[in-house]
Amino acid sequence: MELFIFSVFATLIIMLTAYFLVKLFNIAYKRKVITIRKFRVLSLTVIGIAVLAASIMPFFYHRLLNVLL
């Protein structure tokens, strides 16, 4: 049960961070600070890393709880 709660909150934090970074990149693109290519690369990188981190997190928490308990 603890593993599920840790995973849900960690995923929520990671996805919110990715969402706000993509919003930041969108604002920078609209102000012509970055190009469309850089916007796409940065957005896809942030989303990819967020999905990867959110999918690995439950295994990390499982190992951590096994060590601590």
Side-chain angles (χ1 to χ4, degrees):
M1 184 67 184
E2 299 90 8
L3 180 66
F4 178 73
I5 293 171
F6 286 151
S7 298
V8 167
F9 283 122
T11 302
L12 182 67
I13 291 169
I14 291 169
M15 290 302 166
L16 280 173
T17 303
Y19 172 74
F20 285 116
L21 279 172
V22 170
K23 273 183 75 170
L24 175 77
F25 298 148
N26 192 17
I27 292 169
Y29 169 67
K30 286 180 180 177
R31 292 184 180 180
K32 303 293 184 197
V33 176
I34 59 175
T35 62
I36 186 68
R37 185 175 182 176
K38 194 168 192 177
F39 169 71
R40 288 178 183 165
V41 168
L42 289 172
S43 296
L44 288 175
T45 303
V46 166
I47 292 169
I49 290 173
V51 168
L52 181 69
S55 63
I56 291 175
M57 208 52 77
F59 301 112
F60 172 73
Y61 284 137
H62 181 68
R63 287 188 182 180
L64 181 67
L65 287 176
N66 284 341
V67 170
L68 293 177
L69 301 176

